[in-house]
C-alpha cells in the first residue's frame, strides 16, 4: 500500500492482508499517510520463505522452457516498464509472461506468470488467444488469500484483454508442476466484495480496529506493536485456553481484561449467548491463577480433580526402561518434510539418565534413524516389558506413523506400540491434571514448575535450529558447523530431559506426580492392562 499523488495505491498483497486482519489494513494506511513510523520488526523466516518462493517459481519457469514455450521474462523490469512490456507481450501473443506488470486505476500487481490460452470460438481483444494467471505457492494447501490474489490479477488481465479468464491456476511444490485450477467465475462475487470492503476501508475513515490475534500475526511486520498494545491492555488473549468466541462474548458482557475476568464473581453472572457456562468458569479460573502468579511474582499451580480419568490416571507406573523421546523436524524440507534429529533420554545400567541421538540430514539417513529408533525401543522392550515412550504433544507419534508409511518399514513394530498404548502424551496429562499460572501449557513453560534448567538458553537454541532448518530447506547438501549441531543437540537433549523432569522430578512443586506414581503402583493403569505387546 502506498500513497501517490493523494491516491492510495493497492496491491494483491493488501487484498490478502485485509482478509487476514482488518487492523493490518488500518496500520498500513496510517503508515502510507506518514502518521506512524515503519515497523522495525521482521520475521527472520521471511527472507528464507522468499528465497524458497523464488526457487519454486524458477523451477516452474524452467519446466515451461523445457516444454519449448517462448517466454517473456520481466523479472528485472521496474513497475512502469513491466506494465508496458506486459501489454506489448500480450498483443504479440507470447506463450508465457513472467512477472507480468498489471495496473488499473489505483490497483497494481505483479503476477508470477501469464499463460496463453487459445480462444478460437471466443476471441479476446487480443485476437484468437487470451491469458490466464498462474501463481507459484509454497503452501501445501491453497488458502483463501491465494485465490483472492489470483482473482485480483485475473480481474486486471480481464480489463486488458476484454475477456474474463476462465481459470486461475496455483502451482504447488512437488506435484510435477501440474496446476491446481479454479474457475474464476466461482469466486468472482466473493473477490469483489472483499475488494469493495478494502476500497471502503482506505477511502473512508477506517473503523476503529483492534489487533485481535489471528494466524497472520506469526509473519506480520506489525507483530511487535500489536503485542505491545495487547500487553498494555491486559488483553483476554493472554488467558490460556480462552477462545476467540469466548473473548467476544466476554467483551460483550463488559469484561475485556485478564484482571477483570479473574475477578468475575462465581457463579458467572450472565448467561452466555454462545458456548457453555462451564467453559467460562474454566477460563475465569485460569485467569485467576495467572493473575495470582503475576501479582505474587511466583509460579502458581493447583491440582484438578481427575473425574474424567484423563489426567493423572493416564500416567503409567514408572519403568527403568522408560524412554523420553523428542524429534526435531522441518515440514518444509523437500516433499513432506524431514525429521532431522532423533533424540531419546533413558536410564542406563548405572541408573543415571543418558541421552542418545541420530542426525538425519537427507532421506536415506532419515530412514536409518527411524529404524535405529525402532530397534532401540524393541531392544529395551525385551528387557523392560512395562516401558513407555513419553513425549509432549502429538508430534512424535504422528511423525513415527508418517515415517513408517513413507519407508514402508517397521510396520509391525509401530502397530504394536500403538495397540499397546505405549506412547504417553505428557501434554494432555498436564493440561487435564493441573491449572497453572502460565499463558500457555507448553513444555518450556511447564518445565519451570519442575525447576528444570536448560543447558542452552532458548534464544541461542532457536537461532541454531533456524539456521539448520533454513540450510535444509534451501540446499540439498547443507553446510552445518559442528558448533551449530552441538547447540541443537543440547537443545534436543534438554527437551528429552525436560519430559523426564515433567513426569518424575522429585521435590516441590512436582511431588504430586511422585505421589501419583506411588499410588499407581497399587492400581494398575487402564492403559497398562490393555497392553498387548
Ligand atoms: S500483528 Fe496480527 S493483529 Fe497486528 S496487524 Fe498484524 S495480523 Fe493484525
Amino acid at each position: 500500500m502506498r500513497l501517490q499523488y493523494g491516491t492510495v495505491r493497492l496491491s494483491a498483497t493488501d487484498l490478502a492482508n485485509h482478509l487476514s486482519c482488518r487492523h493490518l489494513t488500518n496500520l498500513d494506511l496510517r503508515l502510507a499517510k506518514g502518521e506512524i513510523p515503519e515497523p522495525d520488526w521482521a520475521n527472520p523466516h521471511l527472507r528464507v520463505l522468499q528465497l524458497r518462493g523464488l526457487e519454486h517459481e524458477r523451477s516452474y519457469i524452467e519446466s515451461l522452457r523445457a516444454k519449448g514455450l517462448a517466454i517473456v521474462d520481466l523479472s528485472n523490469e521496474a513497475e512502469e516498464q513491466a506494465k508496458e512490456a506486459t501489454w506489448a507481450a500480450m498483443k504479440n501473443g507470447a506463450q508465457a509472461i513472467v512477472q507480468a506488470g498489471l495496473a488499473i486505476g489505483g490497483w497494481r500487481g505483479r503476477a508470477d506468470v501469464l499463460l496463453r490460452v487459445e480462444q478460437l470460438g471466443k476471441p479476446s481483444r487480443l485476437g484468437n488467444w487470451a491469458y490466464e494467471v498462474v501463481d507459484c505457492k509454497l503452501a501445501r494447501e491453497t488458502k483463501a488469500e491465494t485465490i483472492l490474489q489470483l482473482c485480483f490479477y485475473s480481474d486486471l488481465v480481464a480489463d486488458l484483454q476484454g475477456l474474463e479468464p476462465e481459470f486461475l491456476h496455483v502451482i504447488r511444490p512437488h506435484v510435477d508442476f501440474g496446476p491446481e485450477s479454479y474457475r474464476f467465475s466461482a469466486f468472482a462475487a466473493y473477490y469483489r466484495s472483499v475488494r469493495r470492503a478494502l476500497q471502503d476501508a482506505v477511502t473512508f475513515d477506517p473503523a476503529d480496529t483492534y489487533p485481535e490475534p489471528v494466524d497472520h500475526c506469526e509473519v506480520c511486520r506489525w507483530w511487535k506493536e500489536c503485542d505491545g498494545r495487547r500487553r498494555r491492555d491486559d488483553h483476554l488473549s493472554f488467558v490460556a485456553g480462552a477462545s476467540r468466541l469466548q473473548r467476544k462474548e466476554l467483551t460483550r458482557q463488559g469484561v475485556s481484561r485478564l484482571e477483570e475476568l479473574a475477578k468475575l464473581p462465581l457463579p458467572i453472572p450472565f448467561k452466555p449467548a454462545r458456548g457453555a457456562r462451564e467453559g467460562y468458569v474454566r477460563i475465569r479460573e485460569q485467569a485467576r491463577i495467572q493473575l495470582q502468579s503475576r501479582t505474587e511474582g511466583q509460579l502458581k499451580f493447583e491440582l484438578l480433580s481427575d473425574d474424567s480419568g484423563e489426567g493423572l490416571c493416564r500416567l503409567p507406573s514408572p519403568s527403568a526402561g522408560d524412554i523420553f523421546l523428542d524429534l526435531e523436524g522441518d515440514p518444509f524440507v523437500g516433499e513432506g518434510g524431514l525429521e532431522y534429529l532423533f533424540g531419546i533420554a533413558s536410564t542406563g545400567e548405572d541408573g543415571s539418565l543418558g541421552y542418545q541421538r541420530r542426525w538425519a540430514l537427507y532421506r536415506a539417513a532419515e530412514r536409518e534413524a527411524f529404524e535405529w529408533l525402532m530397534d532401540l525401543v524393541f531392544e529395551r522392550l525385551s528387557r523392560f516389558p512395562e516401558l513407555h515412550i513419553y513425549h509432549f504433544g502429538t508430534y512424535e507419534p504422528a511423525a513415527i506413523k508418517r515415517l513408517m508409511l513413507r519407508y514402508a518399514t517397521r510396520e509391525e513394530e509401530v502397530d504394536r506400540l500403538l495397540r499397546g498404548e505405549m506412547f504417553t502424551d505428557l501434554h494432555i496429562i498436564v493440561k487435564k491434571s493441573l491449572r497453572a499460572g502460565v499463558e500457555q501449557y507448553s513444555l518450556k513453560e511447564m518445565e519451570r514448575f519442575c525447576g528444570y534448567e536448560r543447558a542452552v538458553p532458548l534464544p541461542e537454541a532457536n537461532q541454531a535450529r533456524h539456521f539448520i532448518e533454513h540450510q535444509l530447506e534451501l540446499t540439498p547438501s547443507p553446510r552445518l558447523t559442528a558448533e551449530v549441531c552441538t547447540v541443537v543437540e543440547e537443545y534436543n537433549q534438554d527437551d528429552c530431559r525436560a519430559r523426564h523432569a515433567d513426569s518424575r522430578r522429585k521435590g516441590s512443586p512436582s511431588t504430586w506426580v511422585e505421589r501419583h506414581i506411588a499410588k499407581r503402583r497399587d492400581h494398575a493403569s487402564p492403559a497398562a492392562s490393555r497392553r498387548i505387546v
Side-chain angles (χ1 to χ4, degrees), residues 52 137-143 146 170-173 332:
R52 285 179 47 225
K137 288 286 178 204
L138 291 171
R140 286 176 210 296
E141 279 164 22
T142 302
K143 297 180 183 161
T146 301
V170 182
I171 304 292
R172 291 193 292 115
F332 299 110

Side-chain angles (χ1 to χ4, degrees), residues 17 20-25 27 210-227 230:
N17 284 350
S20 302
C21 175
R22 305 291 188 267
H23 191 66
L24 173 50
T25 303
L27 291 174
Y210 191 83
E212 271 289 336
V214 291
D215 289 347
H216 190 74
C217 293
E218 272 184 40
V219 291
C220 182
R221 60 184 177 152
W222 294 105
W223 179 82
K224 217 166 112 184
E225 280 76 5
C226 293
D227 187 61
R230 290 191 288 259

Side-chain angles (χ1 to χ4, degrees), residues 271-292:
K271 187 172 181 304
R274 286 193 187 170
R277 197 181 279 264
E278 299 75 54
Y280 290 88
V281 173
R282 184 180 51 74
I283 56 170
R284 186 270 187 196
E285 290 298 89
Q286 177 61 39
R288 174 185 54 75
I289 198 156
Q290 282 183 232
L291 182 66
Q292 209 180 335

Side-chain angles (χ1 to χ4, degrees), residues 386-413:
E386 291 304 317
L387 75 77
H388 280 83
I389 302 168
Y390 290 85
H391 54 99
F392 201 90
T394 54
Y395 187 83
E396 277 76 17
I400 298 283
K401 286 183 246 179
R402 205 164 45 236
L403 293 169
M404 174 197 76
L405 289 170
R406 177 175 293 161
Y407 298 114
T409 179
R410 305 296 190 270
E411 294 98 328
E412 201 182 310
E413 286 82 350

Side-chain angles (χ1 to χ4, degrees), residues 140-278:
R140 286 176 210 296
E141 279 164 22
T142 302
K143 297 180 183 161
E145 287 86 347
T146 301
I147 297 289
L148 267 186
Q149 286 183 323
L150 279 159
C151 285
F152 173 78
Y153 296 134
S154 299
D155 198 19
L156 299 187
V157 168
D159 210 76
L160 285 174
Q161 65 189 18
L163 182 74
E164 238 177 39
E166 190 175 357
F167 291 101
L168 31 101
H169 313 274
V170 182
I171 304 292
R172 291 193 292 115
H174 309 297
V175 282
D176 297 330
F177 303 115
E180 206 177 76
S181 302
Y182 299 86
R183 226 171 248 287
F184 178 43
S185 57
F187 301 95
Y190 174 61
Y191 150 70
R192 287 192 185 106
S193 86
V194 179
R195 181 178 150 155
R196 202 172 315 116
L198 172 60
Q199 187 71 67
D200 287 351
V202 298
T203 308
F204 308 111
D205 260 353
D208 189 18
T209 52
Y210 191 83
E212 271 289 336
V214 291
D215 289 347
H216 190 74
C217 293
E218 272 184 40
V219 291
C220 182
R221 60 184 177 152
W222 294 105
W223 179 82
K224 217 166 112 184
E225 280 76 5
C226 293
D227 187 61
R229 179 162 170 195
R230 290 191 288 259
R231 291 267 167 215
R232 286 192 298 281
D233 293 348
D234 197 18
H235 193 245
L236 291 173
S237 57
F238 295 114
V239 179
S243 69
R244 189 169 183 149
L245 189 139
Q246 288 171 321
R247 298 201 304 264
K248 233 174 163 174
E249 175 66 17
L250 286 167
T251 310
R252 213 171 62 85
Q253 300 290 345
V255 180
S256 57
R257 298 165 60 86
L258 183 150
E259 186 169 350
E260 288 166 355
L261 177 58
K263 293 179 176 168
L264 200 66
L266 286 177
I268 296 288
F270 58 84
K271 187 172 181 304
R274 286 193 187 170
R277 197 181 279 264
E278 299 75 54

